Amino acid sequence: MSKARVAHVLAVWFGCGHVPRAPGLAGTLGAIPLYLVVRPFGLGAVAVTAALVTVVGVWASGVMEKKLARKDPQIVCIDEVAGVFVTWLAVPSTWLGLLAGVALFRLFDQFKPWPARRLELLPGGLGIMLDDVMAGVYGNLLMWGLIRVVPSWLT
């Protein structure tokens, strides 16, 4: 398989980006199987996965941006995978925690509070990936705070 093809498959997160409506949501939900495989190995494994997906995503999404000659093509959704993994670093290992992480990440990914919106302006794959990673940081921080305020609400 060519590098361009590998970049395409990864950037659209194994087809999630080809969903005609809400490819970002599809990419976020498409991250769940990987999370379920990685999470039993602990938060360190989730963190390493978030970092690896981010690094690979910078490359793959950059390739797709050049190939399609469009800034941040909508079909690229590996950025959602990286971002939701960052949020999941703060959630309890429960189904409710997993789904709350998805909801919080999507909220911040849609609204992109500062500096997330600013990060979109970075060139190539960095701009595509880092705004979603920042949205993941916001989701993580809010989840962390909620768990400290009401520690039993997600267990």
Side-chain angles (χ1 to χ4, degrees):
M1 191 179 304
S2 72
K3 285 183 187 179
R5 183 72 180 140
V6 170
H8 180 95
V9 169
L10 292 171
V12 301
W13 200 249
F14 305 96
C16 293
H18 292 297
V19 171
R21 299 191 121 196
L25 175 60
T28 303
L29 296 175
I32 292 173
L34 180 59
Y35 177 77
L36 293 176
V37 168
V38 170
R39 184 62 179 96
F41 296 100
L43 286 178
V46 177
V48 167
T49 302
L52 287 173
V53 170
T54 300
V55 170
V56 169
V58 167
W59 168 75
S61 61
V63 169
M64 288 299 290
E65 188 175 72
K66 285 179 187 170
K67 176 182 171 189
L68 298 173
R70 272 188 289 158
K71 177 81 174 143
D72 200 354
Q74 191 174 11
I75 66 170
V76 171
C77 60
I78 193 170
D79 50 337
E80 275 80 15
V81 176
V84 76
F85 261 84
V86 171
T87 297
W88 282 332
L89 285 168
V91 304
S93 185
T94 64
W95 279 101
L96 188 55
L98 181 137
L99 295 175
V102 166
L104 286 176
F105 168 72
R106 293 302 304 156
L107 174 75
F108 287 112
D109 188 35
Q110 291 301 306
F111 289 106
K112 296 197 188 308
W114 186 90
R117 177 109 22 227
R118 181 101 172 112
L119 291 170
E120 282 183 311
L121 302 175
L122 292 171
L126 281 175
I128 294 170
M129 295 298 296
L130 293 185
D131 67 305
D132 284 52
V133 170
M134 191 70 224
V137 169
Y138 286 130
N140 178 300
L141 292 173
L142 183 55
M143 179 63 70
W144 187 86
L146 288 171
I147 289 170
R148 268 109 198 117
V149 172
V150 189
S152 63
W153 79 280
L154 286 174
T155 55

